[in-house]
Amino acid sequence: MALATPALSACEGYEPEQKLQNTAPQDIGRDLDRIIADGYIEFALYEDYAPWSYEEAGKAKGIDVEIGKIIAADLGVQPRFRLVSAGETLDADLRNYVYKGAVINGRVSDVMLHVPYDVDYACRFDQVVFTGLYGEEHIAIAYDAASYPDKGPTPAVFRYDPIGVENDSISDFYMTDVTRGPSADKVHRYRSTVLAMKALADHEVMAVMGPRAEMEAAIAPGIKIHEPPLGLPRSKWVIGVALSMQHRPLAYAVDDAIAAALEDGRIAKAFAEYGVEFTPPTP
């Protein structure tokens, strides 16, 4: 059986968090037996987050939706998808959707998908199991091939050439620092990476910096994507699932389902269906 806590051995020496006494009650959700008896499992996914999770014609779609279907099929239950808004921090999202529930009318879901995995971060929590690693996110640069026929652009050229980014994202902060001063007007900010990619296709900018998967899913003819050295503290990270520490048997079952789907290629197929290159998780 796969280990459902990748951080376990790495957390030696960390003092686990202690639950405060007399705190507000929390929703601990359903255990594996209850999920099997009820015949369904509910996944929390981020809304408006193509190609990972979004709504189309009233139905949830995306790579993470396909991952949820794989898990549900392995457990022999029906999947249900709850599209949720992202909070200001991952801490808030885990509290609201995984182990406690929001303060007002809050409830947790059985499993949250698309949770970035970091061993040091995972060691800070004793309320959450981080498991089921199923892919990676990479920061990259999409560019107009006709504008850069010899090789892909490096960040330094965007002191002179316009580049699109999602507002208030890692890419926005990075390019703001690169182009500060007289070149600051070269950074064009959009509500999403998808809209930045549309601006690139319409030749409003010469490149876009952002998460590779989002750019691959929105790519247009004449656009290429590459990953030049960026000097970021972290330009790629592993993604997996999170669920309440109260439900370890469920954690093991979900981890086993994902491990089997990685082995037989079902997860790689889910990525391919949305035009995204699959990179196996390497924690």
Side-chain angles (χ1 to χ4, degrees):
M1 179 177 287
L3 183 65
T5 48
L8 190 61
S9 61
C11 290
E12 294 179 5
Y14 278 81
E15 287 293 331
E17 293 182 356
Q18 299 298 316
K19 183 179 177 181
L20 298 176
Q21 299 299 310
N22 301 318
T23 57
Q26 61 187 56
D27 176 8
I28 64 170
R30 301 182 302 153
D31 62 19
L32 179 58
D33 289 342
R34 175 72 182 277
I35 288 168
I36 299 300
D38 289 346
Y40 74 92
I41 183 170
E42 183 184 85
F43 299 95
L45 305 89
Y46 289 114
E47 64 184 1
D48 195 22
Y49 193 30
W52 300 103
S53 49
Y54 58 98
E55 187 175 295
E56 184 176 279
K59 292 185 177 181
K61 299 196 69 175
I63 297 170
D64 290 336
V65 172
E66 299 306 315
I67 303 297
K69 291 178 180 178
I70 287 170
I71 295 169
D74 197 82
L75 297 181
V77 297
Q78 293 298 311
R80 294 185 182 180
F81 301 104
R82 175 189 179 193
L83 296 176
V84 301
S85 58
E88 292 186 1
T89 65
L90 180 58
D91 288 37
D93 293 342
L94 294 174
R95 181 182 64 249
N96 290 339
Y97 308 125
V98 174
Y99 70 88
K100 186 172 184 179
V103 174
I104 300 175
N105 298 322
R107 65 177 180 84
V108 301
S109 294
D110 300 313
V111 177
M112 186 169 188
L113 293 166
H114 211 92
V115 176
Y117 174 74
D118 174 82
V119 64
D120 293 329
Y121 182 83
C123 288
R124 292 202 290 109
F125 281 86
D126 63 357
Q127 308 98 330
V128 177
V129 176
F130 298 86
T131 188
L133 309 182
Y134 60 85
E136 290 189 356
E137 289 255 42
H138 291 230
I139 298 294
I141 292 177
Y143 61 95
D144 177 44
S147 298
Y148 305 99
D150 298 325
K151 63 179 182 178
T154 59
V157 307
F158 301 115
R159 295 188 178 96
Y160 315 100
D161 299 342
I163 184 170
V165 296
E166 180 177 342
N167 190 44
D168 286 336
S169 65
I170 293 173
S171 301
D172 182 3
F173 302 143
Y174 175 83
M175 290 310 308
T176 297
D177 185 61
V178 168
T179 62
R180 59 187 170 185
S183 303
D185 63 343
K186 298 302 180 184
V187 180
H188 295 230
R189 296 170 178 85
Y190 300 88
R191 187 174 60 84
S192 68
T193 301
V194 171
L195 292 177
M197 289 295 288
K198 183 179 184 302
L200 175 57
D202 292 341
H203 303 290
E204 294 176 14
V205 293
M206 295 171 66
V208 169
M209 182 178 176
R212 182 169 190 132
E214 295 177 52
M215 296 193 295
E216 286 178 332
I219 201 166
I223 294 173
K224 292 184 177 181
I225 300 175
H226 77 143
E227 296 180 31
L230 298 172
L232 284 167
R234 177 166 294 180
S235 60
K236 63 179 182 179
W237 55 94
V238 177
I239 53 173
V241 309
L243 61 161
S244 171
M245 187 68 78
Q246 303 270 3
H247 304 309
R248 278 193 170 274
L250 176 60
Y252 285 115
V254 169
D255 195 51
D256 285 347
I258 289 175
L262 286 169
E263 181 69 24
D264 64 22
R266 282 176 290 160
I267 286 182
K269 181 181 177 183
F271 278 72
E273 287 177 2
Y274 287 87
V276 175
E277 181 180 349
F278 172 64
T279 303
T282 53

